[in-house]
Amino acid sequence: LPLRSELRLVVGASFFVHAGAGVLRVRRATMASGGVADDVEAHGLLNERSAATVRMIPFAQRVILILGSCAVVCLVPVTRIGKSTGSSLVDGKSAGKSLADSIQTWSACFSHEIDGEAVQSEPTKAVYDAMYEQHGGLQHVKGTTTWDTLRYAHKGGFPLCTTFTDSLNHMHRVCISGAACQFTMYAPASREILWHGDEDDRTGFDPLASVAELQFSYEPPSTLHSHGIRVRASGFGPGDAEPVGLDTLDGVLLAVNQLAVTGAEVAVMILRAQAGNSSGKAEPASA
């Protein structure tokens, strides 16, 4: 039973238990004195409202209610305790197993590969900010946020995967494995991203945008459309609006990508991006 219903039962049971006990005492006092107790409240047994309520209930039904209330008061807490402790007694690891399953399900919710290598630690916007530190930082280009849906008419279940090549010729493969999945990543972009899945699609960008923020989520099927991957794309560019040399950015990004596939912390990626950006090139990161 819900906790609120149990509380109501307990309160109601307590009322009937006390009321019933008072009725029995009144009846015994009445029988012993040979008269009728005119003032029940004076005996400290019942107040006027309780006495009036109890007198409206036949005696046999009062006995049944009292016995039933006693059973509810005794059995409901025992049942709740049994339910709360029974699972842990039968399977002491059920709670831990449930949490572990949830973590595993979430960790397997999406995957991202760069040039065929699985990304273990995703570069965040702070990493790209460090890359553009010498160019006024990374700023959002107004009016560049778009929504596209990559449809999968032939793929009925999960995972749903799409591939694209960024503006520095690094190939990305993104997969989502559940309806609740959401995944955000950043990648170099120029005027467009070409998506390849069940069908080919395209997302366009403003010429000032050189980095794309890509958010992937699941789009359920509808009457007219098959399910797919919903992509929210936003364009970012250098704050000083000056072009950034692709060779310089490619060297920094290569180092960051190598750190990403080895599972390095984001702080390490930021330091490598700052070092590579200031020197104009980046040495390959060691595993």
Side-chain angles (χ1 to χ4, degrees):
L1 293 175
L3 181 58
R4 182 178 297 178
S5 299
E6 291 183 12
L7 291 175
R8 289 176 180 174
L9 285 174
V10 171
V11 172
S14 300
F15 168 77
F16 282 114
V17 169
H18 291 293
V23 170
L24 293 178
R25 293 192 186 99
V26 170
R27 291 179 66 88
R28 286 198 298 267
T30 303
M31 293 175 63
S33 61
V36 178
D38 296 327
D39 188 4
V40 178
E41 186 177 4
H43 291 81
L45 299 176
L46 295 171
N47 57 34
E48 293 180 359
R49 182 177 299 177
S50 298
T53 303
V54 172
R55 291 193 190 99
M56 295 174 61
I57 303 174
F59 179 75
Q61 294 184 10
R62 275 180 268 175
V63 173
I64 295 175
L65 286 172
I66 292 171
L67 295 177
S69 300
C70 290
V72 170
V73 172
C74 296
L75 293 179
V76 167
V78 173
T79 303
R80 172 171 285 274
I81 294 172
K83 289 182 178 180
S84 63
T85 60
S87 59
S88 60
L89 293 176
V90 174
D91 183 4
K93 298 181 179 179
S94 59
K97 183 178 180 181
S98 177
L99 178 59
D101 290 343
S102 299
I103 294 174
Q104 183 178 4
T105 301
W106 178 251
S107 64
C109 184
F110 61 86
S111 63
H112 177 206
E113 296 179 0
I114 301 177
D115 295 331
E117 296 188 76
V119 175
Q120 304 296 327
S121 180
E122 196 69 36
T124 63
K125 183 178 179 295
V127 177
Y128 282 85
D129 283 334
M131 291 185 192
Y132 282 81
E133 189 174 21
Q134 304 297 323
H135 306 279
L138 195 63
Q139 303 294 329
H140 178 254
V141 180
K142 294 183 179 180
T144 60
T145 300
T146 60
W147 294 86
D148 294 286
T149 302
L150 314 179
R151 300 291 178 181
Y152 289 78
H154 305 292
K155 176 71 172 178
F158 293 103
L160 300 180
C161 300
T162 186
T163 61
F164 68 96
T165 302
D166 63 33
S167 60
L168 296 176
N169 294 320
H170 297 285
M171 188 181 73
H172 300 259
R173 184 174 187 265
V174 175
C175 299
I176 62 173
S177 302
C181 284
Q182 279 196 352
F183 168 61
T184 302
M185 60 164 288
Y186 294 83
S190 54
R191 291 180 177 270
E192 64 179 7
I193 289 181
L194 300 178
W195 308 100
H196 305 286
D198 265 13
E199 302 174 359
D200 292 342
D201 210 329
R202 172 188 177 274
T203 297
F205 290 96
D206 188 278
L208 295 178
S210 55
V211 172
E213 179 190 64
L214 305 172
Q215 183 183 86
F216 301 89
S217 59
Y218 178 67
E219 178 73 12
S222 63
T223 304
L224 300 178
H225 299 285
S226 56
H227 70 161
I229 299 176
R230 185 74 163 163
V231 182
R232 178 184 182 275
S234 298
F236 289 79
D240 55 12
E242 292 292 332
V244 179
L246 291 181
D247 293 338
T248 299
L249 186 59
D250 193 15
V252 178
L253 186 63
L254 177 61
V256 170
N257 287 348
Q258 290 180 347
L259 290 170
V261 299
T262 58
E265 295 182 356
V266 172
V268 177
M269 298 183 196
I270 293 175
L271 292 176
R272 182 57 58 91
Q274 290 173 336
N277 190 28
S278 61
S279 62
K281 61 181 181 179
E283 298 178 358
S286 57

